[in-house]
């Protein structure tokens, strides 16, 4: 795929209308790249809330916050989650008082959780709170939680049995062996306000390079009735696995422990041809493109590692070029 010089903004005559599905840091980066190119009315980002939990009595929505902070330019560039220029005064005092400190909450980040918790307890919905926070942070694109109803990802492990997601991910550092996943509450959870409308109006769906098992699958479960109707007709995923390894997080380890050799091809197989029109894989995995094609999914090979802001925009542009072949 040919690359424009990174400094040149993309000018698309009539950009497609995109719904992007995103989980944690990798998803937030591509969502940010798409937001650099597409006007606000042409991009809606639907975010996983299966990682949400209550900590110190506060409602934490890590993936929503990661996507919001990233688009607002407020994210911590070292971790990808949490706030840049963060201070830790409350955390230090909580530690002194004997509170649980395996999940780190900085002072600026705490304000988000305090205000979200206050509003939720007053009966406001997560999507309404998120819309207002986004406006206050200067985010013009639409960011929606997948559902306003609670969905909780449970990781089934060999060593500890069932673990709530953050217990597995942060407290146990993803070390326990994974046997499977369960999404508590998913049967009752309806798509959040705005999700169905965005999907019905979209030209294409982009599955960002987030963990397929725990970031994307919960969203796909929530929107599955719409996908079954064939909306939107073009669906493209970007591999979060490069050279058999996850760029960040435990995705490759999860594939392995579930008996599947981790690779970009394994990700394409996981989503499958019923879901996907196209699949973007990294240059270093170009030898897998023919196998993706053999699955009945159109492959596109490009540089998918997003180290800089320009990388995010370039990958987003490559994804849009792939989509434009089908819309
Ligand atoms: N991840 C960690 O590995 N350790 C932490 O202490 C931690 C704190 C944290 C606080 C707020 C927030 O929004 C995210 C935070 N994360 C932390 C990241 C989070 O657990 C994961 O990024 C996602 O849940 C997986 O996508």
């Amino acid at each position: 795929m040919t690359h424009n010089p990174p400094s040149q903004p993309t000018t698309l005559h009539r950009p497609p209308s995109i719904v992007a599905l995103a989980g944690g840091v990798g998803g937030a980066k591509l969502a940010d790249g798409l937001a650099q190119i597409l006007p606000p009315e042409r991009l809606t980002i639907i975010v996983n809330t299966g990682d949400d939990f209550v900590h110190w009595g506060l409602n934490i929505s890590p993936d929503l916050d990661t996507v919001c902070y990233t688009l607002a330019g407020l994210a911590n560039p070292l971790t990808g989650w949490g706030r840049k220029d963060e201070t830790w005064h409350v955390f230090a005092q909580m530690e002194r008082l004997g509170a649980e400190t395996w999940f780190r909450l900085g002072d600026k980040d705490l304000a988000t959780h305090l205000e979200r918790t206050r509003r939720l307890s007053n009966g406001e919905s997560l999507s309404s709170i998120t819309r207002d926070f986004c406006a206050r942070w200067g985010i013009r694109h639409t960011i929606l939680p997948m559902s306003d109803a609670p969905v909780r990802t449970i990781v089934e492990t060999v060593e500890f049995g069932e673990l709530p997601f953050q217990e597995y991910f942060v407290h146990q550092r993803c070390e326990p062996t994974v046997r499977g996943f369960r999404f508590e509450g998913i049967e009752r959870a309806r798509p959040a306000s705005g999700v169905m409308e965005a999907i019905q109006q979209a030209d294409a769906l982009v599955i960002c390079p987030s963990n397929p098992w725990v970031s994307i699958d919960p969203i796909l479960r929530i929107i599955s009735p719409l996908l079954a109707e064939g909306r939107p007709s073009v669906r493209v995923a970007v591999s979060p696995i490069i050279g058999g390894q996850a760029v960040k997080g435990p995705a490759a380890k999860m594939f392995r422990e579930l008996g599947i050799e981790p690779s970009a091809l394994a990700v394409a197989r996981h989503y499958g041809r019923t879901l996907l029109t196209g699949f973007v894989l990294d240059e270093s995995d170009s030898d897998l493109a023919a196998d993706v094609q053999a699955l009945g999914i159109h492959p596109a090979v490009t540089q998918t590692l997003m180290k800089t802001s320009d990388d995010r925009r370039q990958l987003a542009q490559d994804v849009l070029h792939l989509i434009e072949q089908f819309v």
Side-chain angles (χ1 to χ4, degrees):
M1 201 169 264
T2 51
H3 284 183
N4 283 346
S7 57
Q8 286 202 336
T10 307
T11 44
L12 295 168
H13 287 302
R14 193 185 165 279
S17 178
I18 302 292
V19 164
L21 310 186
V25 176
K29 286 181 176 178
L30 182 57
D32 182 51
L34 290 165
Q36 290 184 45
I37 296 176
L38 294 167
E41 68 279 6
R42 296 249 149 208
L43 175 64
T44 299
I45 303 153
I46 302 174
V47 181
N48 172 45
T49 54
D51 298 8
D52 292 14
F53 76 132
V54 175
H55 189 66
W56 295 351
L58 301 173
N59 293 85
I60 320 281
S61 295
D63 285 358
L64 260 184
D65 292 343
T66 297
V67 172
C68 290
Y69 292 161
T70 301
L71 263 70
L74 297 172
N76 179 331
L78 295 178
T79 55
W81 51 264
R83 294 282 296 261
K84 69 177 179 188
D85 305 321
E86 188 57 283
T87 54
W88 299 90
H89 300 293
V90 174
F91 187 80
Q93 295 310 311
M94 291 296 275
E95 191 166 31
R96 198 168 167 185
L97 293 172
E100 288 203 272
T101 51
W102 56 267
F103 195 81
R104 287 173 289 152
L105 295 174
D107 300 328
K108 291 189 171 78
D109 193 27
L110 262 172
T112 307
H113 313 308
L114 282 166
E115 180 59 5
R116 176 191 292 126
T117 304
R118 186 190 71 77
R119 294 195 192 187
L120 283 172
S121 61
N122 279 351
E124 198 177 336
S125 68
L126 185 60
S127 52
S128 161
I129 298 165
T130 305
R131 190 182 319 117
D132 185 53
F133 283 4
C134 284
R136 290 170 188 276
W137 285 323
I139 300 169
R140 294 169 60 232
H141 297 80
T142 305
I143 300 175
L144 299 171
M146 63 184 190
S147 179
D148 282 320
V151 175
R152 297 294 171 258
T153 298
I154 307 290
V155 185
E156 294 161 8
T157 72
V158 172
E159 296 84 352
F160 298 93
E162 292 197 334
L163 286 178
F165 181 77
Q166 298 296 345
E167 283 280 341
Y168 161 81
F169 192 89
V170 178
H171 205 179
Q172 299 298 332
R173 300 186 196 85
C174 308
E175 283 166 11
T177 315
V178 168
R179 259 202 312 229
F181 310 96
R182 197 162 65 71
F183 305 115
E184 214 168 76
I186 202 128
E187 289 80 13
R188 290 184 304 280
R190 303 274 76 84
S193 159
V195 166
M196 285 172 68
E197 295 80 352
I199 292 177
Q200 268 155 358
Q201 285 160 23
D203 296 314
L205 181 83
V206 173
I207 301 180
C208 291
S210 301
N211 188 312
W213 300 101
V214 291
S215 296
I216 301 298
D217 282 358
I219 315 178
L220 291 175
R221 287 277 298 276
I222 295 272
I223 64 172
S224 62
L226 288 163
L227 297 175
E229 286 170 20
R231 302 286 316 154
S233 57
V234 178
R235 296 118 175 230
V236 167
V238 179
S239 178
I241 305 250
I242 301 179
Q245 294 188 336
V247 176
K248 195 175 194 308
K253 179 174 178 286
M254 288 173 171
F255 270 102
R256 213 172 291 117
E257 289 169 356
L258 294 168
I260 305 163
E261 183 65 25
S263 68
L265 180 61
V267 178
R269 277 206 192 103
H270 177 85
Y271 292 132
R273 64 174 296 175
T274 316
L275 178 66
L276 292 185
T277 318
F279 188 73
V280 180
L281 59 168
D282 192 73
E283 290 168 338
S284 59
D285 288 323
S286 58
D287 55 327
L288 299 175
D291 295 327
V292 172
Q293 184 83 63
L295 294 176
I297 301 167
H298 189 93
V301 175
T302 189
Q303 188 198 305
T304 63
L305 204 58
M306 292 174 281
K307 288 191 181 151
T308 66
S309 178
D310 286 341
D311 292 342
R312 298 175 189 181
R313 189 174 59 229
Q314 186 59 61
L315 179 57
Q317 199 169 357
D318 292 342
V319 169
L320 293 179
H321 283 321
L322 175 61
I323 286 168
E324 281 167 353
Q325 294 178 36
F326 302 102
V327 294

